[in-house]
Amino acid sequence: MDRKIKVVIAKLGLDIHWRGAVAVSRLLRDEGMEVVYLGNQFPEAIVNAAVQEGADVVGLSTLGGNHLTVGPKVVRLLKEKGLEQILVVMGGVIPPDDIPLLKKAGIAEVFGPETPIKDIADFIRKQVGSRIAS
């Protein structure tokens, strides 16, 4: 890939836990990606920012328990705009039983609090690369 992968990262809704999202934003930047951190946003604003920024990836961070409603809504709004190629990933403290539901709803991967940044970056590079190739 001859350009930087562009990642838009947002906290879902009114979730007040921001430290992890900021840390992941900085670490993905250090991995060579272009990262736009939105802070707290609702799905419509996240999707609009992804469109405006030309994002390859939307990263959603949540600890607030809204992951099963607000996360899939981001995926649905992207599909409604014909932007299925944008990869959506989620991070936070997510109950393991909810992860299959999120993946079924279109969240490509869910990363827990102890996930090494290299694992997240490698997943993004592989997924974005294959989406561009197809």
Side-chain angles (χ1 to χ4, degrees), residues 5-85:
I5 294 173
K6 192 158 197 176
V7 183
V8 168
I9 293 183
K11 297 290 304 166
L12 279 176
L14 299 175
D15 191 321
I16 61 170
H17 302 90
W18 54 270
R19 191 175 310 245
V22 170
V24 169
S25 295
R26 291 179 178 168
L27 292 167
L28 288 177
R29 179 197 62 201
D30 293 347
E31 284 282 331
M33 298 180 193
E34 184 176 349
V35 180
V36 177
Y37 177 66
L38 302 176
N40 290 73
Q41 296 293 335
F42 286 96
E44 293 82 1
I46 295 168
V47 169
N48 287 337
V51 171
Q52 290 173 354
E53 295 291 340
D56 300 298
V57 180
V58 171
L60 303 172
S61 175
T62 182
L63 294 175
N66 60 1
H67 55 277
L68 287 177
T69 55
V70 186
K73 186 173 182 181
V74 170
V75 174
R76 183 174 46 80
L77 291 173
L78 287 169
K79 285 183 181 177
E80 288 175 5
K81 291 185 178 278
L83 299 169
E84 300 89 351
Q85 79 278 9

